């Protein structure tokens, strides 16, 4: 058996007029402290109000109110005047019932569903105690269920709708319909649906306060948005999710996390975009190590052929002594599948060398052509995948017309985001057939289908409209790139810090998740990317796909022209030297 050290303190509050609550109950003892209080004392209300101011009637302290002399006192006159009695208070009143032979006590569970909303304090009898039978608890009593019915109380709510002329009375009509709408993000509707589960289960209503954004701060330090409303404890619940950054843990209680925020760029792949992702390169089929190894191997073959030819020329008669340029031309022609010249040495050693060269060319050429043809016949390349590639691409970028994009560009100090803003956002689009910089999903989808445009949003917001507008081939060409909020993932369903409803709502959300309602709600509101169900479309090769070959040709022509003039100058100088020499004049 394990024993626990228990210490007891008896304090005569009648003699402690200058009593400090923090001296009686130090904060280091919370979690294992039970307080037995004699509420029959004349000064009991004054003392309890001191504890109430310091929030000692929450779940961390267990209170038992007894009348030591068994006097019948209306405890409601005391408890109803304490502002700190909450939904999560652990307060029991032992109410004496005078019998003929002994005194029994009825145990009352005391709580309120909203003292800050001027609601009454409830007393629920859940057990009895008497000297004969001891403690008897009603087995049907469950604190969660007993306190779970809020009796139609109206809680204060807050949500985000970035529209003009929207009041709290319009919230239910707007957020109850799934899907993306102007000024409303999808995860707000999702958390509104979760809040509806809590509202129906616990039987309460909500009077909403509408904000235009999540957070912000004036120069005076005043907090803006839903975050400011919750931080000032001006709302009991919030029909939205927030990013639970490190500095917000001290301000909010998390009751649930299930929405994964995935932002990114959505665009349709076109042949022009493969260049932005490194495609369309003549050297792309092979890696740099393969090209270097191939170049060194061909150079070695040229050297071996030249040395072998020179050695055979000196050893045997009727052997050709070809120049370096001739051997280079033979190797290049063989590499280009043009075969080997018919005039070669009949020696077996050179035949083996040429056969090895042909075998090498056969393998390399087949690998190269297979990669090129396979790339043309398969689905288009991945296209831009990072913010840097989006900036370097010819894509025209638009953003979801919602507050967090505008705040990001206004306040960010990240260099790559500032560069994105300067290149893709700041240039004027007036008078052009282009989508606005900030727009909604319905407006941008026709531009996405046309190609050459990208849209940054939480990607699930656009997938449903894309599935309606795109055909099977268009969906196969849909691509996504990393967004601007990749450091943020899980959205938090939060309440104000130390809210009396935190523990109750956490338990309810766990039960809702266990029976599958959370997954069902996610399926309704979080639309996944449409699946490609058709084969890849073959795109024509654009000029940049073969530009390297043209550059090589142009470079060769320029080099040939330079060498032509150099040879002419060399021949002229040679002739002049011959005509001017004494030996030439003597012969003449």
């Amino acid at each position: 058996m394990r024993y626990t050290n228990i210490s007891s303190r008896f304090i005569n509050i009648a003699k402690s007029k200058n009593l400090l609550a923090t001296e009686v109950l130090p904060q280091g003892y919370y979690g294992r402290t039970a307080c037995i209080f004699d509420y029959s004392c004349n000064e009991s209300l004054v003392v309890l109000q001191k504890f109430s101011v310091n929030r000692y009637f929450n779940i961390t302290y267990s209170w038992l109110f007894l009348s030591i002399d068994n006097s019948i006192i209306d405890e409601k006159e005391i408890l109803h005047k304490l502002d700190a009695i909450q939904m999560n208070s652990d307060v029991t009143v032992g109410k004496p019932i005078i019998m003929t032979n002994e005194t029994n006590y009825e145990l009352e569970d005391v709580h309120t569903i909203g003292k800050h909303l001027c609601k009454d304090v409830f007393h629920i009898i859940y057990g009895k105690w008497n000297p004969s039978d001891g403690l008897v608890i009603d087995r049907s009593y469950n604190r969660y269920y007993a306190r779970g019915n809020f009796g139609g109380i109206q809680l204060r709510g807050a949500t985000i709708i970035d529209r003009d002329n929207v009041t709290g009375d319009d919230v239910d009509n707007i957020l109850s319909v799934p899907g993306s709408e102007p000024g409303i993000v999808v995860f707000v509707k999702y958390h509104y649906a979760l809040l509806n589960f809590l509202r129906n289960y616990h039987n309460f209503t909500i009077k909403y306060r509408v904000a235009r954004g999540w957070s912000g701060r004036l120069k005076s330090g005043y907090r803006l948005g839903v975050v400011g409303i919750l931080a000032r404890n001006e709302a009991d619940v919030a029909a939205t999710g927030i990013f639970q950054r490190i500095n917000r843990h001290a301000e909010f209680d998390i009751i649930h996390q299930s929405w994964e925020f995935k932002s990114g760029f959505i665009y349709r792949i076109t042949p022009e975009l493969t260049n932005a992702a490194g495609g369309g390169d003549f050297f792309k089929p092979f890696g740099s190590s393969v090209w270097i190894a191939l170049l060194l191997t061909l150079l070695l073959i040229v050297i071996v052929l030249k040395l072998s030819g020179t050695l055979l020329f000196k050893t045997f008669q009727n052997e050709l002594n070809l120049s370096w340029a001739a051997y280079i031309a033979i190797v290049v022609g063989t590499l280009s599948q043009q075969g080997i010249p018919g005039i070669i040495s009949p020696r077996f050693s050179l035949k083996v060398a040429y056969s090895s060269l042909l075998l090498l060319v056969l393998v390399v050429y087949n690998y190269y052509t297979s990669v090129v043809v396979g790339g043309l016949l398969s689905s288009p390349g991945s296209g831009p995948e990072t913010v840097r590639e989006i900036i370097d691409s010819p894509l025209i970028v638009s953003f979801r017309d919602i507050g967090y994009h505008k705040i990001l560009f206004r306040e960010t100090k990240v260099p790559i985001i500032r560069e994105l803003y300067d290149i893709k956002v700041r240039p004027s689009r007036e008078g052009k057939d282009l989508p606005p910089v900030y727009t909604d999903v319905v407006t941008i989808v026709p531009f996405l289908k046309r190609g050459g445009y990208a849209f940054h949003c939480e990607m699930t917001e656009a997938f449903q409209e894309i599935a309606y507008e795109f055909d099977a081939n268009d969906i196969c060409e849909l691509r996504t790139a990393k967004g601007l909020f990749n450091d943020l993932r899980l959205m938090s369903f939060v309440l104000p810090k130390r809210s009396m409803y935190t523990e109750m709502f956490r338990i309810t959300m766990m039960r809702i998740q266990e029976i599958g309602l959370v997954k069902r709600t996610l399926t309704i509101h979080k639309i996944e990317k449409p699946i490609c169900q058709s084969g890849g479309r073959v795109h024509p090769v654009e000029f940049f796909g073969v530009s390297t070959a043209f550059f090589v040709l142009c470079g060769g022509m320029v080099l040939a022209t330079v060498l032509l003039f150099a040879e002419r100058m060399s021949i002229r100088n040679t002739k002049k030297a011959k005509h001017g020499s004494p030996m030439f004049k003597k012969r003449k």
Side-chain angles (χ1 to χ4, degrees):
M1 181 179 294
R2 182 178 179 181
Y3 295 92
T4 304
N5 293 328
I6 300 176
S7 61
S8 302
R9 297 178 62 192
F10 297 91
I11 301 174
N12 188 349
I13 60 176
K15 297 181 180 180
S16 303
K17 296 183 179 181
N18 298 324
L19 178 69
L20 295 177
T22 54
E23 293 180 356
V24 178
L25 296 176
Q27 295 182 354
Y29 292 156
Y30 66 86
R32 57 178 185 270
T33 302
C35 307
I36 302 176
F37 190 87
D38 179 14
Y39 67 93
S40 63
C41 176
N42 294 331
E43 301 292 333
S44 59
L45 178 59
V46 177
V47 175
L48 289 176
Q49 285 178 339
K50 294 181 180 180
F51 287 102
S52 177
V53 171
N54 289 275
R55 302 177 63 90
Y56 278 100
F57 291 102
N58 53 29
I59 197 173
T60 56
Y61 291 90
S62 299
W63 290 82
L64 175 61
F65 288 85
L66 295 174
S67 178
I68 300 301
D69 56 2
N70 294 332
S71 57
I72 306 300
I73 299 175
D74 188 4
E75 75 281 358
K76 296 180 181 180
E77 294 295 328
I78 299 175
L79 296 177
H80 287 215
K81 295 179 181 180
L82 300 178
D83 295 333
I85 299 294
Q86 301 179 6
M87 169 70 70
N88 60 347
S89 295
D90 186 7
V91 177
T92 298
V93 175
K95 192 172 183 179
I97 300 177
I98 306 299
M99 308 294 290
T100 55
N101 299 328
E102 58 186 10
T103 301
N104 295 342
Y105 289 89
E106 285 186 342
L107 304 180
E108 296 181 350
D109 180 22
V110 180
H111 71 280
T112 178
I113 58 176
K115 187 68 175 179
H116 63 295
L117 302 175
C118 302
K119 299 300 178 180
D120 293 333
V121 177
F122 293 91
H123 300 252
I124 302 176
I125 298 175
Y126 70 93
K128 296 180 180 180
W129 183 89
N130 58 63
S132 302
D133 301 329
L135 182 63
V136 179
I137 303 296
D138 185 359
R139 294 184 178 181
S140 63
Y141 177 79
N142 184 291
R143 176 175 289 181
Y144 171 76
Y145 292 112
R147 300 185 179 188
N149 187 353
F150 291 4
I153 185 177
Q154 186 180 74
L155 299 183
R156 303 167 301 167
T159 189
I160 299 172
I161 300 178
D162 194 6
R163 291 184 188 173
D164 297 329
N165 303 322
V166 176
T167 64
D169 298 332
D170 304 323
V171 171
D172 289 322
N173 294 331
I174 295 175
L175 298 185
S176 59
V177 181
S180 178
E181 295 184 42
I184 306 172
V185 292
V186 176
F187 67 78
V188 169
K189 291 189 174 184
Y190 170 73
H191 287 91
Y192 169 81
L194 296 184
L195 184 57
N196 274 343
F197 289 135
L198 295 176
R199 182 173 63 179
N200 296 332
Y201 188 87
H202 292 290
N203 187 22
F204 62 87
T205 61
I206 302 175
K207 183 175 180 59
Y208 285 101
R209 177 177 173 180
V210 180
R212 298 294 294 266
W214 281 264
S215 64
R217 193 184 296 269
L218 298 178
K219 293 182 179 180
S220 61
Y222 185 80
R223 304 285 293 275
L224 301 174
V226 168
V227 171
I229 294 173
L230 293 176
R232 293 189 298 272
N233 205 17
E234 296 175 359
D236 301 306
V237 292
T240 181
I242 68 170
F243 294 127
Q244 191 69 356
R245 303 179 187 273
I246 295 177
N247 61 340
R248 292 178 178 174
H249 284 277
E251 299 175 331
F252 308 106
D253 288 334
I254 300 175
I255 62 173
H256 182 71
Q257 288 180 319
S258 58
W259 184 275
E260 185 178 3
F261 184 83
K262 292 182 179 179
S263 68
F265 294 92
I266 303 175
Y267 61 93
R268 180 183 173 186
I269 192 71
T270 58
E272 293 81 3
L273 291 178
T274 55
N275 193 33
D281 190 352
F282 184 75
F283 300 100
K284 189 68 176 179
F286 289 156
S288 57
S289 60
V290 177
W291 286 114
I292 293 174
L294 181 60
L295 181 61
L296 294 177
T297 302
L298 295 178
L299 181 61
L300 180 61
I301 291 174
V302 171
I303 295 174
V304 170
L305 291 177
K306 175 59 179 174
L307 294 179
S308 300
T310 303
L311 182 61
L312 292 174
F313 175 75
K314 294 180 179 180
T315 305
F316 301 98
Q317 296 180 353
N318 300 326
E319 286 290 340
L320 297 176
N321 186 17
L322 301 179
S323 63
W324 285 97
Y327 283 112
I328 293 175
I330 291 174
V331 172
V332 173
T334 306
L335 185 64
S336 304
Q337 296 289 299
Q338 299 302 314
I340 297 176
I343 305 175
I344 60 174
S345 174
R347 304 303 170 187
F348 186 74
S349 58
L350 284 182
K351 289 182 178 181
V352 171
Y354 282 121
S355 299
S356 301
L357 175 61
L358 287 172
L359 183 61
L360 171 67
V361 169
L362 176 65
V363 175
V364 172
Y365 185 80
N366 284 334
Y367 268 107
Y368 187 88
T369 54
S370 298
V371 173
V372 173
V373 174
L376 291 175
L377 295 180
S378 63
S379 59
S382 59
E385 295 181 345
T386 63
V387 178
R388 166 54 57 193
E389 292 176 352
I390 290 289
I391 295 174
D392 297 336
S393 72
L395 287 170
I396 299 173
V397 182
S398 294
F399 298 84
R400 179 84 156 86
D401 188 10
I402 206 70
Y404 55 72
H405 279 133
K406 301 173 184 178
I407 294 175
L408 174 68
F409 289 131
R410 185 179 63 196
E411 299 182 356
T412 186
K413 296 180 181 179
V414 180
I416 194 169
I417 298 181
R418 299 306 311 171
E419 184 179 355
L420 174 69
Y421 177 78
D422 294 335
I423 296 177
K424 299 292 186 179
V425 179
R426 179 174 292 178
S428 176
R429 301 185 183 182
E430 295 183 2
K432 302 178 182 179
D433 185 20
L434 299 175
V437 174
Y438 300 104
T439 185
D440 55 72
V441 175
V442 177
T443 303
I444 196 63
V445 167
F447 289 93
L448 294 179
K449 186 175 182 180
R450 188 187 307 174
Y453 300 88
F455 185 53
H456 186 274
C457 62
E458 187 182 6
M459 292 184 288
T460 186
E461 296 178 328
F463 286 152
Q464 184 172 3
E465 188 68 22
I466 287 173
Y468 291 153
E469 296 293 334
F470 281 37
D471 58 26
N473 289 326
D474 296 337
I475 289 176
C476 291
E477 296 172 352
L478 192 66
R479 296 292 183 271
T480 59
K482 293 181 180 179
L484 306 178
F485 301 96
N486 288 323
D487 59 324
L488 307 170
R489 285 297 183 183
L490 284 179
M491 304 292 295
S492 298
F493 193 12
V494 298
L495 299 180
K497 195 66 177 180
R498 293 182 293 273
S499 170
M500 69 174 69
Y501 308 107
T502 297
E503 196 64 26
M504 180 74 68
F505 285 174
R506 278 177 181 168
I507 296 173
T508 305
M509 287 306 306
M510 284 190 291
R511 296 190 174 187
I512 291 173
Q513 188 169 9
E514 288 172 355
I515 63 178
L517 289 179
V518 170
K519 185 176 181 180
R520 177 179 178 273
T521 308
L522 272 174
T523 304
I524 295 173
H525 290 84
K526 197 174 185 65
I527 307 300
E528 298 296 334
K529 181 181 177 181
I531 300 174
C532 174
Q533 297 180 347
S534 68
R537 179 185 297 176
V538 178
H539 288 269
V541 179
E542 299 293 332
F543 174 76
F544 58 79
V546 293
S547 59
T548 307
F550 285 93
F551 292 150
V552 171
L553 176 62
C554 294
M557 294 298 102
V558 172
L559 180 61
T561 304
V562 172
L563 293 177
L564 175 61
F565 284 104
E567 288 179 349
R568 290 190 62 187
M569 293 294 295
S570 177
I571 293 173
R572 286 183 179 180
N573 293 335
T574 303
K575 288 182 178 181
K576 288 181 180 181
K578 288 182 178 180
H579 285 290
S581 63
M583 185 179 296
F584 182 81
K585 292 180 179 180
K586 184 177 180 180
R587 288 181 180 179
K588 188 175 179 180

